Amino acid sequence: MHPRNLARQFAATLAELRETWDVEYWPAGSIPARTAVAPGRSPSEGESPSVSMESGAEPRAAAVTSAPVHLPVAGEMRTQAKQWTPATKLDYLRKRNVGDCQRCGLARSRTKIVFGVGNPEAKIMFVGEAPGADEDRQGEPFVGRAGARLNVWLAELGLSRDEVYIANVLKCRPPANRDPKPDEVEKCSPFLQAQIRAIAPRVIVALGRHAGMLLSRRDDLRLNAMRSATLYYEVDVDAVETRRIPIVVTYHPSYVLRQEGTSDGVEPAERLVMQDLARAVALTNL
Ligand code: SF4
């Protein structure tokens, strides 16, 4: 084959692979129906923008054609997508799926999207609720006072931020740090699900009740009950294997900071957190 044809074939295969990864990566129904991209046309009212996005680029206007684009789902392509490293999967997710996400109203008030940080092959993954003001400014989860406290906890366990992965349920800051709204969680949580699927950690630590509720799908339990419950997050890894990842729910560092000095006669939350985290670390060695 002529080298030019070979290069074209390679480019086409790569493009197909990327499309397939989109299909494989997202849970069914979690993203808007894909539409054909017609450069230069703008979506009409009610149409979903394409998720197509290159690193650093503005979102491309996506126009709708009458028929959805056929997406290749051949076994061969799936096999290749499965061979991507967790880092490649996360990079693809950040650049192509999240991009300059406008799926919910928080896009209007955020400064930066706070995707996640850490080791793509981490055994332990920390999940908080949503970015705060410092995170929103810096684009990194768990910075500021709460992040510093988390770093102290990690150090006590002999871990650093580079060894774990840290993310939030919501990738954008709710104004004035209000609680996430259900529609925001619904629209954003597929990103977290995809991160978990890419990393496939041995244990997930949910920091705070909201993260615990979302991951365990148990909104009937208070945080203390979640701490002592046996909870799992079920994830399809590369669409071939369903894993039950243990969830350890504990207090959010912001809660611990607020509680300090106000807990006369009550067991300090931080001591309970360290017990929970020690349990989580023990689970990674199973
Ligand atoms: S919170 Fe999530 S769904 Fe909403 S705009 Fe940000 S990234 Fe998109």
Side-chain angles (χ1 to χ4, degrees):
M1 188 184 289
H2 191 279
R4 199 181 308 146
N5 291 340
L6 198 63
R8 272 198 206 118
Q9 192 182 53
F10 177 74
T13 304
L14 196 62
E16 274 192 329
L17 181 59
R18 286 184 172 148
E19 296 294 315
T20 307
W21 178 239
D22 264 353
V23 174
E24 287 291 309
Y25 212 32
W26 291 98
S30 67
I31 53 171
R34 293 182 66 84
T35 55
V37 175
R41 286 184 54 196
S42 299
S44 1
E45 196 175 342
E47 291 176 353
S48 299
S50 163
V51 294
S52 187
M53 176 85 61
E54 298 300 340
S55 174
E58 290 298 311
R60 265 193 283 160
V64 171
T65 59
S66 52
V69 171
H70 169 71
L71 294 172
V73 288
E76 185 190 337
M77 304 302 276
R78 282 188 178 152
T79 303
Q80 292 183 57
K82 281 175 209 159
Q83 289 166 358
W84 287 12
T85 65
T88 304
K89 292 173 182 176
L90 289 177
D91 191 49
Y92 185 88
L93 178 71
R94 174 66 189 96
K95 290 173 181 164
R96 295 256 308 174
N97 291 128
V98 178
D100 184 36
C101 182
Q102 305 286 324
R103 288 180 178 85
C104 82
L106 296 180
R108 289 194 292 275
S109 55
R110 73 170 178 235
T111 307
K112 286 187 177 170
I113 290 179
V114 182
F115 178 69
V117 69
N119 182 353
E121 299 183 39
K123 290 182 185 171
I124 181 163
M125 180 171 178
F126 290 81
V127 178
E129 178 181 309
D134 293 312
E135 288 83 6
D136 178 61
R137 264 194 305 276
Q138 297 181 40
E140 184 171 329
F142 285 91
V143 291
R145 284 185 71 220
R149 184 56 62 99
L150 178 60
N151 294 347
V152 169
W153 296 345
L154 290 175
E156 283 190 32
L157 297 165
L159 294 168
S160 72
R161 278 172 82 96
D162 296 339
E163 291 172 87
V164 303
Y165 196 89
I166 307 171
N168 283 306
V169 175
L170 292 188
K171 308 303 180 205
C172 301
R173 182 194 182 201
N177 296 344
R178 64 157 168 74
D179 284 346
K181 293 181 180 172
D183 70 304
E184 293 161 355
V185 171
E186 186 192 346
K187 287 185 175 132
C188 203
S189 57
F191 295 137
L192 175 65
Q193 290 162 9
Q195 285 172 301
I196 295 172
R197 210 176 322 159
I199 297 164
R202 296 218 184 144
V203 63
I204 301 171
V205 176
L207 296 166
R209 184 165 179 259
H210 271 96
M213 275 191 324
L214 176 92
L215 292 165
S216 67
R217 298 171 201 270
R218 294 288 302 268
D219 57 5
D220 57 322
L221 298 178
R222 298 183 68 81
L223 194 141
N224 252 331
M226 282 190 201
R227 285 187 58 242
S228 51
T230 304
L231 303 168
Y232 292 94
Y233 182 90
E234 285 203 356
V235 63
D236 277 336
V237 179
D238 290 332
V240 288
E241 179 194 350
T242 302
R243 268 192 218 168
R244 295 176 84 215
I245 302 174
I247 304 168
V248 172
V249 184
T250 194
Y251 295 104
H252 193 283
S254 298
Y255 171 81
V256 172
L257 288 167
R258 283 197 303 275
Q259 200 226 22
E260 277 175 353
T262 64
S263 59
D264 286 350
V266 179
E267 189 165 17
E270 190 156 46
R271 193 181 307 155
L272 302 177
V273 169
M274 293 317 297
Q275 289 170 8
D276 296 335
L277 296 186
R279 188 160 54 91
V281 170
L283 285 167
T284 66
N285 296 323
L286 286 178

Short mmCIF file of all heavy atoms in Angstrom, two decimals, residues 2 4 8 12 30 45 47 51 54 74 113 118 132 172 181 184 189 198 245 263 266 271-272 279:
data_model
loop_
_atom_site.label_atom_id
_atom_site.label_comp_id
_atom_site.label_asym_id
_atom_site.label_seq_id
_atom_site.Cartn_x
_atom_site.Cartn_y
_atom_site.Cartn_z
N HIS A 2 0.43 2.25 -0.78
CA HIS A 2 1.19 3.51 -0.82
C HIS A 2 1.22 4.14 0.58
O HIS A 2 0.20 4.12 1.29
CB HIS A 2 0.52 4.47 -1.81
CG HIS A 2 1.37 5.65 -2.12
ND1 HIS A 2 1.46 6.74 -1.29
CD2 HIS A 2 2.19 5.92 -3.17
CE1 HIS A 2 2.29 7.63 -1.81
NE2 HIS A 2 2.75 7.15 -2.96
N ARG A 4 0.97 7.06 1.57
CA ARG A 4 -0.05 8.09 1.80
C ARG A 4 -1.39 7.43 2.16
O ARG A 4 -2.12 7.87 3.03
CB ARG A 4 -0.19 8.96 0.55
CG ARG A 4 -0.88 10.30 0.89
CD ARG A 4 -1.07 11.16 -0.33
NE ARG A 4 0.15 11.35 -1.10
CZ ARG A 4 0.20 11.46 -2.43
NH1 ARG A 4 -0.89 11.37 -3.14
NH2 ARG A 4 1.34 11.65 -3.04
N ARG A 8 -3.60 7.63 5.56
CA ARG A 8 -5.04 7.97 5.57
C ARG A 8 -5.82 6.91 6.34
O ARG A 8 -6.71 7.20 7.13
CB ARG A 8 -5.57 8.04 4.13
CG ARG A 8 -5.39 9.42 3.55
CD ARG A 8 -6.30 9.61 2.33
NE ARG A 8 -5.68 10.61 1.48
CZ ARG A 8 -5.27 10.41 0.25
NH1 ARG A 8 -5.45 9.25 -0.33
NH2 ARG A 8 -4.71 11.37 -0.43
N ALA A 12 -8.04 7.40 9.67
CA ALA A 12 -9.46 7.03 9.72
C ALA A 12 -9.71 6.06 10.87
O ALA A 12 -10.69 6.17 11.61
CB ALA A 12 -9.88 6.39 8.40
N SER A 30 -26.42 8.70 28.80
CA SER A 30 -25.88 9.74 29.66
C SER A 30 -25.39 10.95 28.89
O SER A 30 -25.07 11.96 29.47
CB SER A 30 -24.73 9.18 30.49
OG SER A 30 -23.66 8.88 29.64
N GLU A 45 -32.30 26.08 18.29
CA GLU A 45 -32.76 25.99 19.66
C GLU A 45 -33.19 24.56 19.98
O GLU A 45 -33.88 23.94 19.17
CB GLU A 45 -33.93 26.94 19.87
CG GLU A 45 -34.19 27.18 21.32
CD GLU A 45 -35.28 28.20 21.53
OE1 GLU A 45 -35.57 28.95 20.61
OE2 GLU A 45 -35.82 28.21 22.62
N GLU A 47 -31.32 21.98 20.15
CA GLU A 47 -30.37 20.97 19.71
C GLU A 47 -29.21 20.90 20.69
O GLU A 47 -28.83 21.91 21.30
CB GLU A 47 -29.80 21.32 18.33
CG GLU A 47 -30.84 21.20 17.24
CD GLU A 47 -30.28 21.66 15.91
OE1 GLU A 47 -29.16 22.17 15.88
OE2 GLU A 47 -30.99 21.49 14.92
N VAL A 51 -20.26 16.82 21.34
CA VAL A 51 -19.24 16.70 22.37
C VAL A 51 -17.85 16.77 21.75
O VAL A 51 -16.87 16.69 22.45
CB VAL A 51 -19.36 15.38 23.17
CG1 VAL A 51 -20.64 15.37 23.95
CG2 VAL A 51 -19.23 14.19 22.27
N GLU A 54 -11.45 19.52 20.65
CA GLU A 54 -10.01 19.27 20.69
C GLU A 54 -9.42 20.09 21.82
O GLU A 54 -9.98 21.10 22.22
CB GLU A 54 -9.37 19.68 19.36
CG GLU A 54 -9.88 18.88 18.17
CD GLU A 54 -9.64 17.38 18.30
OE1 GLU A 54 -8.76 16.97 19.09
OE2 GLU A 54 -10.33 16.62 17.62
N ALA A 74 -17.63 -2.07 16.16
CA ALA A 74 -17.07 -3.39 15.83
C ALA A 74 -16.20 -3.88 16.98
O ALA A 74 -15.56 -3.10 17.67
CB ALA A 74 -16.25 -3.30 14.56
N ILE A 113 -13.11 24.67 35.09
CA ILE A 113 -13.60 23.31 35.34
C ILE A 113 -12.56 22.60 36.21
O ILE A 113 -11.35 22.69 35.95
CB ILE A 113 -13.80 22.54 34.02
CG1 ILE A 113 -15.00 23.13 33.26
CG2 ILE A 113 -14.00 21.05 34.27
CD1 ILE A 113 -15.28 22.47 31.93
N GLY A 118 -4.15 13.62 40.03
CA GLY A 118 -3.52 12.49 40.71
C GLY A 118 -3.08 11.40 39.77
O GLY A 118 -2.93 11.61 38.56
N GLY A 132 -14.80 24.36 45.63
CA GLY A 132 -15.05 25.61 46.34
C GLY A 132 -14.36 26.75 45.62
O GLY A 132 -13.91 26.60 44.47
N CYS A 172 -17.88 21.79 38.46
CA CYS A 172 -17.91 23.26 38.52
C CYS A 172 -18.49 23.69 39.86
O CYS A 172 -19.33 22.99 40.44
CB CYS A 172 -18.78 23.83 37.40
SG CYS A 172 -18.22 23.36 35.76
N LYS A 181 -27.59 20.77 43.01
CA LYS A 181 -28.99 20.48 42.69
C LYS A 181 -29.06 19.14 41.95
O LYS A 181 -28.11 18.77 41.26
CB LYS A 181 -29.56 21.58 41.79
CG LYS A 181 -29.68 22.93 42.47
CD LYS A 181 -30.26 23.96 41.51
CE LYS A 181 -30.39 25.30 42.18
NZ LYS A 181 -30.77 26.36 41.24
N GLU A 184 -28.02 19.09 38.35
CA GLU A 184 -26.58 19.27 38.14
C GLU A 184 -25.85 17.94 38.37
O GLU A 184 -24.94 17.57 37.61
CB GLU A 184 -26.05 20.34 39.10
CG GLU A 184 -26.59 21.73 38.80
CD GLU A 184 -26.46 22.71 39.98
OE1 GLU A 184 -26.04 22.30 41.08
OE2 GLU A 184 -26.81 23.88 39.78
N SER A 189 -22.60 13.77 36.82
CA SER A 189 -22.06 12.54 37.40
C SER A 189 -21.55 11.52 36.36
O SER A 189 -20.67 10.73 36.70
CB SER A 189 -23.08 11.88 38.33
OG SER A 189 -24.27 11.64 37.66
N ALA A 198 -12.26 4.52 34.24
CA ALA A 198 -10.90 4.57 33.67
C ALA A 198 -9.86 4.15 34.71
O ALA A 198 -8.94 3.39 34.41
CB ALA A 198 -10.59 5.98 33.18
N ILE A 245 -16.48 -2.08 43.68
CA ILE A 245 -15.43 -1.35 44.37
C ILE A 245 -15.97 -0.90 45.73
O ILE A 245 -17.01 -0.23 45.80
CB ILE A 245 -15.00 -0.11 43.55
CG1 ILE A 245 -14.51 -0.55 42.16
CG2 ILE A 245 -13.92 0.67 44.28
CD1 ILE A 245 -14.21 0.60 41.23
N SER A 263 -16.48 20.70 69.80
CA SER A 263 -16.97 19.34 70.00
C SER A 263 -16.71 18.83 71.42
O SER A 263 -16.28 17.71 71.60
CB SER A 263 -16.28 18.39 69.00
OG SER A 263 -14.89 18.47 69.20
N VAL A 266 -17.50 15.26 72.56
CA VAL A 266 -17.81 14.43 71.39
C VAL A 266 -16.49 13.96 70.80
O VAL A 266 -15.50 14.70 70.79
CB VAL A 266 -18.59 15.24 70.34
CG1 VAL A 266 -18.89 14.39 69.12
CG2 VAL A 266 -19.86 15.80 70.94
N ARG A 271 -10.50 12.11 64.32
CA ARG A 271 -10.09 10.77 64.76
C ARG A 271 -10.91 9.70 64.01
O ARG A 271 -10.38 8.68 63.58
CB ARG A 271 -10.29 10.62 66.27
CG ARG A 271 -9.58 9.38 66.81
CD ARG A 271 -9.78 9.22 68.30
NE ARG A 271 -9.42 10.41 69.06
CZ ARG A 271 -9.91 10.72 70.25
NH1 ARG A 271 -10.78 9.91 70.83
NH2 ARG A 271 -9.54 11.81 70.89
N LEU A 272 -12.20 10.00 63.83
CA LEU A 272 -13.04 9.06 63.09
C LEU A 272 -12.61 8.98 61.63
O LEU A 272 -12.59 7.91 61.02
CB LEU A 272 -14.51 9.51 63.18
CG LEU A 272 -15.07 9.63 64.59
CD1 LEU A 272 -16.50 10.15 64.57
CD2 LEU A 272 -15.01 8.26 65.30
N ARG A 279 -9.03 2.12 57.30
CA ARG A 279 -9.82 0.99 56.75
C ARG A 279 -9.73 0.99 55.21
O ARG A 279 -9.57 -0.06 54.59
CB ARG A 279 -11.28 1.14 57.20
CG ARG A 279 -12.17 -0.03 56.88
CD ARG A 279 -13.41 -0.03 57.76
NE ARG A 279 -14.15 1.23 57.72
CZ ARG A 279 -15.14 1.47 56.87
NH1 ARG A 279 -15.51 0.55 56.01
NH2 ARG A 279 -15.78 2.63 56.90
#
